[in-house]
Amino acid sequence: MKHICLYFHVHQPYRLRTYRFFDIGNSHEYFDDYANSFIMQQIAEKCYLPANKILLENIKKHGNKFKVNFSISGIALEQFELYAPEVIESFKKLANTGAVEFLAETYYHSLSSLKSKSEFKKQVKMHSEKIEKLFGQKPKVFRNTELIYSDDIGNMVFDMGYKTMITEGAKHVLGWKSPNLMYCSAANPKLKLLLKNFQLSDDIAFRFSEKRWSEWPLTTEKYTKWLNALSPKTEVVNLFMDYETFGEHQWAETGIFDFLNALPGSIIKSSDYSFSTLSEVSNSLQTVSPLHIPYPISWADEERDLTAWLGNELQDEAFNKLYSIEDKVKKCNDEEIIKMWRYLQTSDNFYYMCTKWFSDGEVHKYFNPYNSPYEAFINYMNVLSDFIILVDEKYKINENQSKKAPGLKEEKSASVKAKKTVTKKTTAKKTTTKKATSKKAKTKKASVKK
Amino acid sequence: MRVLMFGWEFPPHISGGLGTACYGLTKALNKSGVEIIFVVPKAYGDENPGRIKLVNASDIEVNIADEIYKEHWDKTSFLEIDSTLMPYTSEEEYFEMIEKQEETKYSTIDKKDFKSQKFTFSGGYGKTLIDEVKRYALIAASIANQHEFDIIHSHDWLTYYAGIEAKRVSGKPLVVHMHATEFDRSGENINQNVYNIERTGMHAADKVIAVSNLTRNTVINRYGVDPEKVTTVHNGVEPNEDNLYADTEKNIKEKVVTFLGRITYQKGPEYFIEAAYKVLQRDSNVRFVMAGSGDLLNKMIRRVARLGIADKFHFTGFLRGDDVDKMFGLSDVYVMPSVSEPFGISPLEAMRSNVPVIISKQSGVAEILKHAIKVDFWDIDAMADAIYGLLHYSSLPGMFKTYGKEEVDNIKWDNAGLKVKEIYEETAKSRN
């Protein structure tokens, strides 16, 4: 018996508003509430709700023969709760069937795995808790942002207790090896790796409506035939794609929903593949060999590397500056500030600064609200500049407080005589700092979009 | 293939992009084997007007020292027509100029002997600009009679009558080149005479070349020219010779943001000032420079004074040649806020000197540039923001230096030359 795994990724970033340099120091409103709610509601209508409905119907129709896997970023879940709660409900219905597995990832769809181990772990924990709370299952399989994987990341993930991770079946690391088998990490053989079959995945995700494609139009019969024609040694075919493929990247008019609706029946009826969750595959297959991946791979672009988010001067400056304040941010001890810092980590922010789409990649253009990477960078840096000012102010207040505190104690114990005056001073100081912090908290609250 | 071209003076004696474009294009055409009879108007000051001067390539005031091109100039012969026509002259300006000259007009008589004496004309310059355009056309007709060529090419409206006359007497096809339209120069308050000449020229022409899709659309929509007839050929930029000023020593501590161009409605100088004001509210560690002259100069100076930023905002007057390069050498950001810019060569020159550029979306050059920040000319917030970003986020200028220079080095006149040559060949063929 061979496995077929459908895995869909759901994500929407918090888009930044046009934030001019004259806003720096004046406004801590960073996000475009209107655009975010509008886009979320639109995509819910076009994609999430109709696609969820089709999946639910198929699960009911085929019983336990049809299964799917999902990962939903924490900030997408947050935005569903804010702008399209009916989407959460429909995912809950899917979860209740028992035929759907939810994967773990970073809550903020961040690139923290490349920069800060502690931050990475924290965000994964946050996400896992969120999924458990909403869907009643604790994720067992891990997917990193953009399927980014390296030996180092694999180690961190294993340390967090995950035994299985998914990533791209990138040609430059696989070489002659097939993506249709289960591998393990060379750095830590106990970590199992399931790889995306990018050929068959992209046939649906990118080529489905491409009329110049020699295989257009794609039918479920044809697709099932391709699956049957794969090497007899095939043990698992992993079809990993953005969930927005259905109705958003490929419009309803292309017939993508009909395809999605008919595919389970076609595969169940005319092939010897069975739909599985990733955990089931991980438990039932043996790993065939270790994969040594010293440099991070991802599922993006031809290169399958990090260059969509990092590598040019703009991306590197923004990224490094953002993480350079990690220490300070955390010492601020202010949840709103930490949350905002995490929102700024969302990988989309760096994707917009990519200069590769000058030469190729309609895909990049499609997802980019900015006219050019330069505009994206300037806007992001304006926001970040303001945020750094905010952090510095808060940090200083905290520093002063902690400096003052022991000093006061000493004073107190040292001179009992001056007790009265000292207490007076302390209260005065306390009230001023309190005022300052509460003011800050207010502005902060305003800036976090809710 | 031999072309009778009605063009404009070459650098360094130019007042704008038109001369630069003629120079670049002629050079590229020569390189691809096209022969050119290049006709230019040139006023001889107090010399007797009404003469055509045939000039050897060696006499042309242009830097042909670089060896690569030297050999090609023998394919070009230059004819200078004594005329007061100058690009960018308005009717009013022309009238003032002629008024001044009246007094000195007959004071001296040139005694030198020229090969081309037979082309001498009697009489003075036209009383009005339109008269002079017509007079120029008459001279053009006689030149067309005396020379052999396959095609006629006219640059901008002042030479369109010349092109039409040449076509009439020779029967050869005419190509007119739109470097700017009256709508670019004057907005909606167009000069009807100028518009009429532009329209007549394009309708009489066998082919119209537009310097951008923006201009092509204007030509089609506002002049009623058959789209089939109009082809876009984007300008190029001269490759950077030794950039002597790239490392010009700056004696100013502050960053410098520059506007360089004619200070006229078309170039949008007021938007630059408003953006400067916004930036200065936030950051006093920057200076703004407005280089150039034009009819809005005094108004701009008053605006700067009124805003109270004159200590940080400087006017240089008209710059030419080396001074332009020096100015780029001193600049950290170049802004071209043109309200309507058919092409716009200056950002390319800035990029060539490693200066990051902000250009208006209403410019033809925005169609071909990737490594530039593009804003709407009226969006002073976006413009100010882009300036601030370039001055404060250090990786930005770095990116521009790496990619901008490379990009601009690939916008070659040679490519434009080949396209124009193709157009010549097609046009000549369809005629036969």
Side-chain angles (χ1 to χ4, degrees):
Chain A
M1 191 187 67
K2 301 173 203 167
H3 299 275
I4 182 161
C5 286
L6 282 181
Y7 155 76
F8 303 124
H9 174 55
V10 180
H11 168 61
Q12 290 299 325
Y14 276 112
R15 290 157 195 85
L16 295 172
R17 74 175 175 94
T18 300
Y19 188 95
R20 301 292 188 205
F21 75 93
F22 9 86
D23 295 325
I24 300 173
N26 295 325
S27 161
H28 310 306
E29 296 265 353
Y30 299 154
F31 301 98
D32 191 339
D33 292 346
Y34 176 76
N36 289 324
S37 75
F38 178 78
I39 293 172
M40 196 43 118
Q41 283 161 9
Q42 205 182 32
I43 301 182
E45 279 308 307
K46 279 168 71 182
C47 162
Y48 301 135
L49 292 172
N52 278 359
K53 188 164 166 258
I54 287 174
L55 293 182
L56 189 65
E57 284 166 3
N58 268 279
I59 290 169
K60 282 183 181 156
K61 190 165 135 197
H62 300 293
N64 62 356
K65 284 185 180 157
F66 181 56
K67 284 165 190 168
V68 287
N69 304 271
F70 274 106
S71 69
I72 312 176
S73 73
I75 54 177
L77 289 168
E78 266 182 21
Q79 291 188 83
F80 286 139
E81 287 169 337
L82 281 173
Y83 306 126
E86 65 275 22
V87 177
I88 295 272
E89 291 312 309
S90 73
F91 274 117
K92 277 183 180 166
K93 274 186 200 160
L94 281 174
N96 290 338
T97 63
V100 178
E101 175 165 13
F102 289 89
L103 274 62
E105 65 173 308
T106 62
Y107 187 96
Y108 294 92
H109 202 268
S110 75
L111 304 172
S112 54
S113 60
L114 300 166
K115 203 74 183 180
S116 167
K117 189 173 176 177
S118 62
E119 179 61 19
F120 177 57
K121 287 189 167 177
K122 173 72 187 162
Q123 290 185 17
V124 173
K125 191 163 168 268
M126 285 175 74
H127 183 260
S128 172
E129 285 165 5
K130 181 95 181 169
I131 294 291
E132 199 173 353
K133 195 176 142 212
L134 285 173
F135 306 120
Q137 54 172 280
K138 195 171 160 47
K140 293 191 183 69
V141 177
F142 187 78
R143 74 82 69 175
N144 196 14
T145 308
E146 307 290 355
L147 296 197
I148 292 169
Y149 175 81
S150 71
D151 292 344
D152 289 343
I153 292 170
N155 279 333
M156 288 194 285
V157 170
F158 186 79
D159 282 352
M160 286 187 275
Y162 295 93
K163 304 279 187 305
T164 314
M165 189 168 166
I166 63 171
T167 184
E168 173 73 26
K171 262 203 175 124
H172 70 270
V173 297
L174 279 183
W176 54 269
K177 295 190 193 87
S178 162
N180 305 331
L181 299 164
M182 188 161 74
Y183 295 84
C184 63
S185 159
N188 191 338
K190 283 181 190 156
L191 180 72
K192 296 166 183 174
L193 297 176
L194 287 165
L195 310 178
K196 172 183 155 191
N197 182 316
F198 68 81
Q199 182 71 43
L200 286 165
S201 300
D202 295 351
D203 283 341
I204 299 172
F206 296 135
R207 289 182 281 272
F208 183 80
S209 62
E210 179 56 67
K211 293 189 179 168
R212 283 169 300 180
W213 182 34
S214 58
E215 299 296 346
W216 186 87
L218 182 60
T219 60
T220 51
E221 290 78 20
K222 194 188 279 181
Y223 200 79
T224 310
K225 214 191 277 172
W226 289 346
L227 286 170
N228 287 331
L230 288 176
S231 147
K233 285 179 182 157
T234 297
E235 294 180 353
V236 57
V237 174
N238 293 314
L239 303 176
F240 298 169
M241 63 198 76
D242 284 337
Y243 199 32
E244 294 80 14
T245 298
F246 304 97
E248 172 65 11
H249 307 168
Q250 311 288 343
W251 294 353
E253 293 76 23
T254 63
I256 191 75
F257 285 118
D258 302 326
F259 181 85
L260 178 66
N261 194 26
L263 190 65
S266 171
I267 289 175
I268 290 164
K269 201 178 110 205
S270 324
S271 81
D272 51 355
Y273 285 90
S274 73
F275 285 98
S276 306
T277 64
L278 288 156
S279 284
E280 286 171 345
V281 175
S282 170
N283 290 333
S284 64
L285 293 186
Q286 296 296 315
T287 59
V288 292
S289 79
L291 285 182
H292 180 57
I293 304 179
Y295 303 107
I297 58 169
S298 81
W299 72 351
D301 301 340
E302 273 303 299
E303 299 90 338
R304 303 294 202 274
D305 60 9
L306 300 180
T307 52
W309 309 277
L310 296 174
N312 78 31
E313 289 95 324
L314 310 179
Q315 294 166 321
D316 291 349
E317 182 180 6
F319 189 69
N320 292 333
K321 210 153 258 175
L322 177 69
Y323 282 96
S324 73
I325 57 171
E326 175 173 1
D327 232 30
K328 264 191 193 169
V329 167
K330 292 193 169 159
K331 279 185 185 150
C332 284
N333 232 342
D334 180 316
E335 271 181 28
E336 289 296 327
I337 284 200
I338 294 176
K339 193 157 134 190
M340 206 126 49
W341 179 62
R342 289 179 171 148
Y343 284 148
L344 294 177
Q345 292 181 39
T346 303
S347 68
D348 304 66
N349 290 313
F350 307 100
Y351 188 79
Y352 303 144
M353 300 174 198
C354 178
T355 36
K356 283 198 301 177
W357 63 265
F358 275 148
S359 46
D360 71 323
E362 301 252 304
V363 189
H364 278 245
K365 252 183 211 171
Y366 182 87
F367 293 110
N368 199 335
Y370 299 96
N371 288 321
S372 83
Y374 298 116
E375 283 171 40
F377 172 77
I378 289 176
N379 205 56
Y380 184 84
M381 290 307 289
N382 288 346
V383 168
L384 186 56
S385 302
D386 180 75
F387 181 68
I388 289 173
I389 294 172
L390 201 67
V391 169
D392 280 342
E393 283 172 4
K394 177 72 189 172
Y395 179 73
K396 259 181 222 154
I397 291 169
N398 277 10
E399 281 275 281
N400 290 342
Q401 269 178 341
S402 55
K403 263 184 208 159
K404 289 273 151 61
L408 285 170
K409 266 181 207 164
E410 274 166 38
E411 251 179 280
K412 263 186 196 171
S413 56
S415 69
V416 191
K417 274 176 198 169
K419 207 176 178 182
K420 259 187 183 173
T421 41
V422 171
T423 14
K424 250 185 197 169
K425 257 187 209 164
T426 350
T427 40
K429 234 160 229 161
K430 261 184 193 163
T431 43
T432 45
T433 30
K434 243 185 204 167
K435 253 184 205 166
T437 22
S438 65
K439 224 186 210 173
K440 275 284 119 60
K442 248 182 224 165
T443 45
K444 260 163 256 150
K445 225 167 233 171
S447 52
V448 178
K449 0 196 47 169
K450 287 254 146 140
Chain B
M1 177 71 64
R2 186 187 286 160
V3 186
L4 176 64
M5 188 177 281
F6 296 100
W8 298 95
E9 275 179 315
F10 285 172
H13 296 282
I14 52 150
S15 47
L18 191 52
T20 316
C22 282
Y23 174 61
L25 182 63
T26 311
K27 213 154 106 168
L29 282 169
N30 272 184
K31 212 172 159 188
S32 68
V34 175
E35 288 178 55
I36 296 172
I37 306 161
F38 196 86
V39 187
V40 277
K42 182 170 182 177
Y44 283 92
D46 53 12
E47 290 172 356
N48 191 12
R51 177 190 343 101
I52 294 174
K53 182 184 176 193
L54 179 62
V55 202
N56 294 321
S58 57
D59 292 341
I60 290 292
E61 290 174 287
V62 54
N63 180 18
I64 53 165
D66 62 301
E67 289 294 320
I68 314 159
Y69 293 106
K70 209 167 191 174
E71 58 189 291
H72 299 294
W73 287 117
D74 58 6
K75 295 205 186 78
T76 301
S77 43
F78 293 85
L79 292 172
E80 288 182 349
I81 297 178
D82 184 9
S83 164
T84 45
L85 290 188
M86 285 199 330
Y88 314 113
T89 320
S90 71
E91 283 202 82
E92 295 74 25
E93 282 164 349
Y94 181 84
F95 190 73
E96 275 172 36
M97 187 171 74
I98 289 295
E99 287 273 277
K100 274 183 209 152
Q101 281 189 358
E102 284 295 312
E103 303 146 25
T104 55
K105 198 164 163 191
Y106 302 106
S107 57
T108 48
I109 291 163
D110 187 31
K111 290 178 188 102
K112 275 186 211 157
D113 195 17
F114 284 96
K115 277 189 237 170
S116 50
Q117 256 191 347
K118 56 185 167 182
F119 294 127
T120 306
F121 287 82
S122 55
Y125 300 126
K127 279 270 184 209
T128 68
L129 185 58
I130 304 296
D131 283 348
E132 183 63 12
V133 166
K134 289 176 181 162
R135 194 185 68 91
Y136 191 72
L138 288 178
I139 307 169
S142 91
I143 290 174
N145 249 335
Q146 310 284 334
H147 289 81
E148 287 289 322
F149 49 89
D150 308 296
I151 202 155
I152 308 154
H153 190 158
S154 282
H155 292 275
D156 257 18
W157 71 275
L158 290 160
T159 67
Y160 283 2
Y161 277 171
I164 295 171
E165 279 303 299
K167 178 177 171 172
R168 188 180 58 80
V169 301
S170 66
K172 299 294 182 188
L174 169 66
V175 175
V176 301
H177 207 130
M178 288 300 278
H179 295 267
T181 70
E182 181 58 12
F183 295 98
D184 300 313
R185 287 182 293 261
S186 311
E188 291 304 311
N189 301 320
I190 57 160
N191 178 321
Q192 195 59 40
N193 289 330
V194 175
Y195 173 85
N196 289 346
I197 296 178
E198 285 181 333
R199 190 171 185 284
T200 310
M202 286 191 275
H203 282 265
D206 299 86
K207 198 87 192 174
V208 178
I209 296 175
V211 291
S212 62
N213 295 327
L214 189 82
T215 305
R216 184 172 181 272
N217 289 338
T218 312
V219 159
I220 293 165
N221 297 329
R222 313 209 62 165
Y223 293 83
V225 180
D226 176 10
E228 291 279 301
K229 218 164 91 169
V230 195
T231 311
T232 299
V233 178
H234 288 112
N235 286 342
V237 66
E238 284 293 299
N240 214 357
E241 302 98 44
D242 310 318
N243 193 349
L244 297 170
Y245 303 101
D247 305 312
T248 302
E249 205 178 310
K250 263 176 73 172
N251 293 318
I252 324 164
K253 275 178 287 167
E254 296 94 336
K255 303 266 182 165
V256 174
V257 182
T258 305
F259 168 104
L260 195 153
R262 278 175 295 116
I263 304 177
T264 59
Y265 159 83
Q266 184 191 348
K267 302 293 177 183
E270 63 267 46
Y271 302 100
F272 180 71
I273 293 175
E274 300 306 324
Y277 177 68
K278 293 217 165 206
V279 174
L280 285 167
Q281 297 304 297
R282 177 110 217 163
D283 178 10
S284 58
N285 199 29
V286 50
R287 286 179 190 273
F288 291 83
V289 175
M290 182 166 277
S293 63
D295 57 3
L296 291 183
L297 177 59
N298 293 341
K299 195 179 162 197
M300 294 304 115
I301 295 172
R302 284 200 303 274
R303 181 67 187 151
V304 165
R306 172 172 264 177
L307 291 171
I309 52 170
D311 58 329
K312 295 282 184 185
F313 197 109
H314 312 277
F315 293 88
T316 66
F318 184 69
L319 298 182
R320 63 171 80 220
D322 279 4
D323 288 340
V324 172
D325 292 331
K326 265 187 214 160
M327 193 63 239
F328 284 137
L330 288 173
S331 302
D332 296 285
V333 178
Y334 177 74
V335 186
M336 185 183 75
S338 297
V339 171
S340 179
E341 188 69 67
F343 186 78
I345 274 180
S346 62
L348 302 181
E349 292 172 337
M351 287 168 76
R352 210 175 56 177
S353 306
N354 288 328
V355 183
V357 301
I358 300 166
I359 57 179
S360 80
K361 288 181 183 168
Q362 289 70 26
S363 68
V365 74
E367 291 166 17
I368 56 168
L369 277 186
K370 289 171 186 156
H371 298 282
I373 299 179
K374 299 168 195 175
V375 299
D376 285 305
F377 71 86
W378 44 263
D379 194 350
I380 49 176
D381 282 353
M383 201 183 293
D385 201 48
I387 293 170
Y388 184 87
L390 280 166
L391 297 179
H392 286 81
Y393 307 134
S394 57
S395 58
L396 262 186
M399 284 287 278
F400 280 107
K401 270 174 202 165
T402 325
Y403 296 104
K405 180 81 162 58
E406 183 187 310
E407 179 172 33
V408 87
D409 283 345
N410 281 313
I411 302 172
K412 293 195 173 103
W413 272 114
D414 289 351
N415 302 336
L418 287 177
K419 271 194 198 166
V420 171
K421 189 185 175 192
E422 263 173 41
I423 292 170
Y424 288 161
E425 281 163 353
E426 271 171 38
T427 315
K429 210 188 286 168
S430 61
R431 267 264 156 156
N432 294 334

